[in-house]
């Protein structure tokens, strides 16, 4: 389940997941991208992922395939999770080669915000 959390940066969508991302979750993110970032250029995602079930990014991948033009503006992806998710992060980088992806542990949330705002 997806929830939006307050962002510390105007170019960053801050989200929190419980379990895996669904197609419906991806559509919510896609709508925000279109509404807020379509004319502005690049955007970032700060994602806190709790209790991953299966592939955390399944729905996001589907959304990227449908609206690749908007997702090509995706600049940085900070993933905060107790699990590393190495294969899934590599898959995201393969879909969007210009994307900067970095994993942070749950106790590194401040460092994640600092990195995404660089």
């Amino acid at each position: 389940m997806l929830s939006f959390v307050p962002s510390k940066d105007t170019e960053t969508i801050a989200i929190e997941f419980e379990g895996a991302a669904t197609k419906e979750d991806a559509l919510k993110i896609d709508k925000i991208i279109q509404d807020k970032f379509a004319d502005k250029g690049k955007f970032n995602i700060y994602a806190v992922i709790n209790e991953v079930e299966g592939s955390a990014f399944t729905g996001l991948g589907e959304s990227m395939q449908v609206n690749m033009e908007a997702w090509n503006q995706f600049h940085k992806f900070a993933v905060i999770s107790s699990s590393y998710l190495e294969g899934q992060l590599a898959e995201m980088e393969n879909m969007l080669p210009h994307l900067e992806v970095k994993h942070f542990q749950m106790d590194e949330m401040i460092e994640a915000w600092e990195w995404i705002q660089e």
Side-chain angles (χ1 to χ4, degrees):
M1 184 177 135
L2 169 77
S3 57
F4 292 93
V5 295
S7 179
K8 295 181 180 184
D9 180 66
T10 58
E11 294 180 351
T12 302
I13 300 167
I15 56 177
E16 187 168 348
F17 283 108
E18 290 285 338
T22 65
K23 187 173 183 177
E24 291 76 24
D25 293 336
L27 292 174
K28 289 178 193 176
I29 294 170
D30 199 50
K31 180 164 177 26
I32 293 211
I33 292 167
Q34 290 180 33
D35 291 349
K36 293 188 175 183
F37 300 102
D39 299 329
K40 293 182 182 178
K42 69 179 183 172
F43 69 93
N44 309 305
I45 294 181
Y46 173 95
V48 177
I49 301 174
N50 299 302
E51 298 182 29
V52 177
E53 299 168 4
S55 176
F57 307 121
T58 300
L60 293 180
E62 291 175 17
S63 175
M64 285 178 197
Q65 292 170 356
V66 170
N67 190 8
M68 189 56 81
E69 184 177 331
W71 283 96
N72 278 328
Q73 297 172 312
F74 195 178
H75 179 65
K76 285 186 173 180
F77 188 30
V79 178
I80 302 87
S81 174
S82 58
S83 303
Y84 182 56
L85 311 171
E86 181 177 356
Q88 295 173 46
L89 296 178
E91 186 178 326
M92 292 282 291
E93 289 176 312
N94 287 338
M95 283 197 262
L96 297 166
H98 63 279
L99 176 64
E100 291 183 57
V101 179
K102 191 165 181 182
H103 176 264
F104 297 88
Q105 293 295 323
M106 289 297 213
D107 62 352
E108 297 177 316
M109 290 183 180
I110 293 170
E111 291 86 346
W113 275 116
E114 289 171 353
W115 175 77
I116 215 161
Q117 293 174 319
E118 290 176 348

